[in-house]
Amino acid sequence: MRNRLLPFLSLPVLMLPAVAMAEVPSVAVDIPPVHSLVSRVMGELGSPELVIQPGASPHGYSMRTSEARSLADANVLVFVSDDLTPWLAKARASLAADADTLELMEVPGTLHLRYREGATFEAHHHDDEASSEHDEVHGDHEEHHDGDHEEHGDHDDHHDGGHDEHHEHAHAGMNPHGWLDPMNARLWLAAIAESLAAQDPEHAATYRRNAQAGQRELETLTESLSARLAQVQGTRYIVFHDAYQYFEHRFDAPASGAISLGDASTPSPARVKEIQARVARDNIQCVFREPQYNPALIESVFEGTGVKTSIVFEPLGVGLPLGETLYPQLIERLGQGILRCADA
C-alpha cells in the first residue's frame, strides 16, 4: 500500500510553481583575447560568442550569418575599440543597437600609446609615453581603415554588416592593441564584471569574484614575467608589425623596428632597406614572424643575415584554445619569444 501512495505523495511537489532562475546575459565579443577575459568573468555561468574567428584580421572582416546572429542576439557587446575594428561600428548600429556596449579602450584608466613612426621607430621616440598611462582623455582617436580584408573562402554566407570594401589602414594616432598590456586587461576584468552585473544583478557577486581572481592571476603573471625579462634586457629584435608596443612598454622590452606598416601589408623597398640597415648596424638577434602573414617575406628580407626567424610572435592567440586560459597563455608566449631570442 505504501508503494502505491508514493506517486500521489509527490504530486504537491510537482504542482509547486517553478523557481524563476535569472537568465545569464548573451555576450558577444570581438577577438579571442577579449573572449578569454569575458570567459574568466563569466566562469561556469556561461560563455561569450566570438564574432571574429581565430586567425582572422580584426581590421577588416566579413561576418558569417552565424556571427551576425550572435551580434544581433547579444545583450552585451564587449570589444576593444573602433580603431581596431572600424567595420564593427556599422554592424553593431544595425544589428546590436539595443545591446549594452563596452569599448575596452574607453575604460577610464586604460593606458593609451600612439603608433610609432618609421620602420625603426626612430622618427617617433617619446620618452614621456609613460605619461599617457591611466590617461582618461579619449578625444584624439583617429579612424583607422584597413586594406587587409580577411578572405574566408570556406564561408558560403557572409553578412552585409561586415567589412565589404577595401580601405587603407592608416597606422597613425592611437595604437588600439591595448590588450597586450596585462595591466590594461586587469582593469578591464573589473569593467566587464560591472557590465555583466548591470544586466544580471542576481549573479553580480559571482562576476565580481571571478574578475578579482583573474586580476590576481594577471598580477602574478606580470610580476613573474617582468622578473624573467629583466634578465634579458637589451634583447634586439624586429617585429612583423607595430602591434606589440603595449607589451614592450609594460615589460621594458622595446623592439628595434617593424617590417610592415600593417599586419598584412607589403613593406615598401625603402622600408625593407631601412630594416636591413638596422639589422646590420645593431646586430639584431631575431625577427618575429606572425604565422598567418607572409612567411616568405621574412625569409626574403633576412636571407643570409644570420638573424633567427623561426620564433612566432603574434597578438591574437592563434593556435591557443579558446577560453579563459587563452589570454594569460598569450602573454606568457610573447615573453617566451623574447627569452628564446635572447638565447639566439
Side-chain angles (χ1 to χ4, degrees):
M1 175 67 71
R2 185 173 58 218
N3 291 340
R4 287 200 299 270
L5 288 174
L6 282 176
F8 297 99
L9 292 174
S10 63
L11 280 177
V13 176
L14 295 174
M15 294 173 66
L16 289 174
V19 177
M21 297 296 291
E23 187 173 343
V24 173
S26 175
V27 185
V29 300
D30 54 354
I31 58 174
V34 174
H35 181 280
S36 179
L37 296 175
V38 175
S39 295
R40 185 67 186 89
V41 174
M42 296 186 77
E44 296 182 357
L45 293 175
S47 60
E49 295 291 333
L50 183 63
V51 172
I52 304 170
Q53 292 306 300
S57 171
H59 302 303
Y61 188 73
S62 288
M63 288 186 294
R64 297 176 292 187
T65 298
S66 60
E67 295 157 357
R69 188 178 301 116
S70 296
L71 194 58
D73 292 343
N75 304 117
V76 179
L77 171 61
V78 185
F79 65 104
V80 174
S81 171
D82 282 338
D83 293 297
L84 182 73
T85 52
W87 58 271
L88 186 57
K90 177 182 176 181
R92 73 171 184 268
S94 61
L95 295 173
D98 295 331
D100 286 347
T101 58
L102 176 61
E103 185 172 358
L104 295 172
M105 289 297 289
E106 295 289 335
V107 171
T110 295
L111 169 66
H112 285 176
L113 299 174
R114 299 180 68 83
Y115 275 113
R116 296 168 287 194
E117 297 175 3
T120 57
F121 306 147
E122 291 175 337
H124 193 62
H125 278 310
H126 285 301
D127 293 334
D128 61 346
E129 276 180 336
S131 67
S132 62
E133 191 161 3
H134 301 147
D135 184 3
E136 298 182 18
V137 178
H138 307 286
D140 60 348
H141 296 184
E142 301 172 12
E143 184 175 1
H144 294 185
H145 296 288
D146 191 5
D148 306 329
H149 182 69
E150 186 74 18
E151 297 295 336
H152 302 277
D154 58 341
H155 298 175
D156 294 329
D157 194 0
H158 292 173
H159 192 271
D160 290 341
H163 183 73
D164 53 14
E165 295 181 6
H166 291 270
H167 298 289
E168 183 178 356
H169 184 65
H171 280 69
M174 188 193 73
N175 187 326
H177 301 81
W179 68 90
L180 292 181
D181 181 349
M183 291 299 98
N184 274 351
R186 180 187 180 279
L187 188 70
W188 296 350
L189 284 169
I192 292 166
E194 292 308 312
S195 182
L196 295 179
Q199 282 275 337
D200 180 15
E202 183 169 325
H203 294 121
T206 300
Y207 297 134
R208 291 170 179 143
R209 184 167 58 249
N210 290 345
Q212 290 166 1
Q215 289 177 323
R216 290 191 295 270
E217 292 161 4
L218 290 184
E219 288 170 0
T220 299
L221 172 60
T222 302
E223 290 172 3
S224 170
L225 196 52
S226 294
R228 284 175 282 158
L229 291 176
Q231 304 302 312
V232 294
Q233 274 193 341
T235 300
R236 301 174 303 282
Y237 65 94
I238 301 288
V239 295
F240 191 86
H241 79 292
D242 190 13
Y244 307 96
Q245 188 181 6
Y246 289 90
F247 181 90
E248 299 167 37
H249 180 273
R250 176 57 55 192
F251 295 101
D252 195 19
S256 297
I259 302 170
S260 295
L261 181 64
D263 57 2
S265 62
T266 301
S268 67
R271 191 179 184 94
V272 169
K273 185 175 181 180
E274 186 179 355
I275 287 290
Q276 290 173 330
R278 168 57 66 92
V279 168
R281 184 176 73 246
D282 293 346
N283 192 26
I284 297 297
Q285 297 162 270
C286 306
V287 57
F288 293 138
R289 66 170 66 235
E290 296 184 26
Q292 65 271 47
Y293 299 121
N294 298 334
L297 174 63
I298 290 179
E299 300 302 332
S300 65
V301 171
F302 296 95
E303 184 177 6
T305 64
V307 173
K308 190 176 184 66
T309 62
S310 61
I311 301 174
V312 171
F313 209 72
E314 62 79 38
L316 294 170
V318 173
L320 297 174
L322 281 176
E324 62 184 61
T325 63
L326 181 145
Y327 182 80
Q329 288 178 352
L330 168 62
I331 298 301
E332 176 66 28
R333 187 165 74 178
L334 292 176
Q336 288 296 327
I338 295 176
L339 292 170
R340 288 176 58 197
C341 180
D343 292 334

